Amino acid sequence: MGSKTLDLWAGIFVFAGIVALFMLAMKVGNLSSFSWSTNNYVLYANFENIGGLKVRAPVKSAGVVVGRIADIRFDNKDYVARVTLSLENRFQFPKDTFASILTSGLLGEQYVGLDAGGDSEFLQPGETIKKTQSAVVLEKLIGQFLFNKAEGDKK
Amino acid sequence: MNPVVKAIPDVLRGLGGWAIHGLWWLGHVSHFLLEILIHSGTSFRRFNLITREIYFVGIYSLIIIIVSGLFVGFVLGLQGYNTLQKYASEQALGVLVALSLVRELGPVITALLFAGRAGTALTAEIGLMKATEQLSAMEIMAVDPIARVVAPRFWAGVISMPILAAIFSIVGVFGGYIVGVVLIGVDEGAFWAQMQAGVDVFDDVLNGEIKSLVFGVTVTLIALFEGYDCYPTAEGVARATTRTVVISSLTILALDFVLTSFMLGGW
């Protein structure tokens, strides 16, 4: 086989590899929904309890992904979790937006849901969301339920 | 004297010899790698040598990689569905298939097949070149056999491995799709959506490719070394080929554990 044909086949092989990698990134992975950090802005939110929230979990508003969790820290002064949300620039939220930690499905991953408020002013980059709701901890919920039940039985 | 006590010095000698031989082997391989890297400049300037070897190493392994990938995907789809449906979460089949392929099975099985398909061919080829004194003939003509024969094959293996692993993974995902969605009837939207939500480009896809690159270096290096180092007889070549498969398979599996524990960030 001539050297030209060999080169052609090797080229086809490498090209197939690049196509496979591209498909892995776009079709299998989440590169297509990945937002590059250049046109993002940052908001903060303090939660009493974040449950199983993880870094890079989605931030959704009305079920649509508008950003991702950039960082989760523990605030040793107020004893709360300080979550850094990285949102896309094109999405602006009013000042009285409500942030809550929700679960997709019964056993699915946790994410931050933003419910837009009615304020005419928007949250500026670097501001902290005031109104937050912690994750629902199943054990606490069950404990409360059992406690209420016991209380009810007494009466 | 007690025969057990009598045997102890022999056992100790054996162990010591085994350990020293292992260290010697490791040093020899490292020296060989260094030699290849030093002489790589020449083979990059004559890149057609590398393309030629990519053809023999990569394209010839393509069929076995695609067929195995397809069947591994089929089996993952079946097994995954069987287990997941017990928990009524068969929509997670996409994530299961994609993550197991991209993170583990893609790089590892490709490397094992690559060792069997291309590694043995490299060992046998170089071993035979040595047995028929072609390498010595090159040296006499002032052609460095490492620069002319070994380095292009090394780089061809290193380039081919990640490509083959990527092809294996994508074909496997497609196989899982065929069994899961087309044959069993898992919801197509959920299959792809959960997969895209669950697979991270950098944590999963890129780490899998890094793994396959490391395996590519390992397998090709071991195969070339065993060929270059073999006894120049028919039996020597046969033994070297066997050793290539055994050593590279074990190294791949051990390295896989080490790499995975680094990537998952356990330590």
Side-chain angles (χ1 to χ4, degrees), chain B residues 5-41:
Chain B
V5 176
K6 229 184 196 169
I8 286 177
D10 277 343
V11 171
L12 285 180
R13 242 193 309 265
L15 266 177
W18 183 75
I20 289 175
H21 181 81
L23 285 177
W24 173 86
W25 188 86
L26 209 61
H28 223 70
V29 171
S30 315
H31 185 214
F32 188 66
L33 177 63
L34 198 70
E35 200 86 348
I36 290 176
L37 292 180
I38 289 171
H39 288 96
S40 296

Side-chain angles (χ1 to χ4, degrees), chain B residues 65-134:
Chain B
I65 292 293
I66 288 176
V67 173
S68 326
L70 203 60
F71 278 104
V72 167
F74 286 167
V75 171
L76 271 179
L78 273 179
Q79 294 278 20
Y81 179 79
N82 245 329
T83 308
L84 285 175
Q85 59 132 345
K86 286 182 191 153
Y87 305 99
S89 48
E90 53 267 32
Q91 289 87 6
L93 186 65
V95 197
L96 179 115
V97 170
L99 275 187
S100 16
L101 277 166
V102 167
R103 276 193 192 165
E104 278 305 321
L105 297 175
V108 172
I109 296 187
T110 311
L112 292 175
L113 291 172
F114 188 74
R117 174 65 190 78
T120 49
L122 288 175
T123 308
E125 192 185 10
I126 292 188
L128 268 177
M129 279 186 177
K130 191 179 181 188
T132 53
E133 295 183 339
Q134 292 179 42

Side-chain angles (χ1 to χ4, degrees), chain A residues 1 3 5-7 9-10 13-14 16-18 20-21 23-32 34 36 56 109, chain B residues 48 51-52 54-55 58-59 62 98 102 160 163-164 166-167 169-170 173 192 195-197 199-202 205 209:
Chain A
M1 202 180 294
S3 161
T5 342
L6 274 180
D7 281 1
W9 277 106
F13 173 63
V14 174
I18 292 170
L21 250 187
M23 276 172 73
L24 277 181
M26 301 305 277
K27 188 95 182 160
V28 177
N30 51 2
L31 194 65
S32 47
F34 187 79
W36 302 98
R56 290 197 45 73
E109 55 168 334
Chain B
N48 58 329
T51 20
R52 202 185 122 82
I54 287 179
Y55 180 81
I59 305 257
L62 208 51
V102 167
S160 302
I163 295 177
L164 290 172
I167 293 173
S169 296
I170 202 75
V173 169
W192 290 113
M195 188 190 294
Q196 286 175 3
V199 179
D200 188 83
V201 175
F202 295 101
V205 177
E209 285 302 296

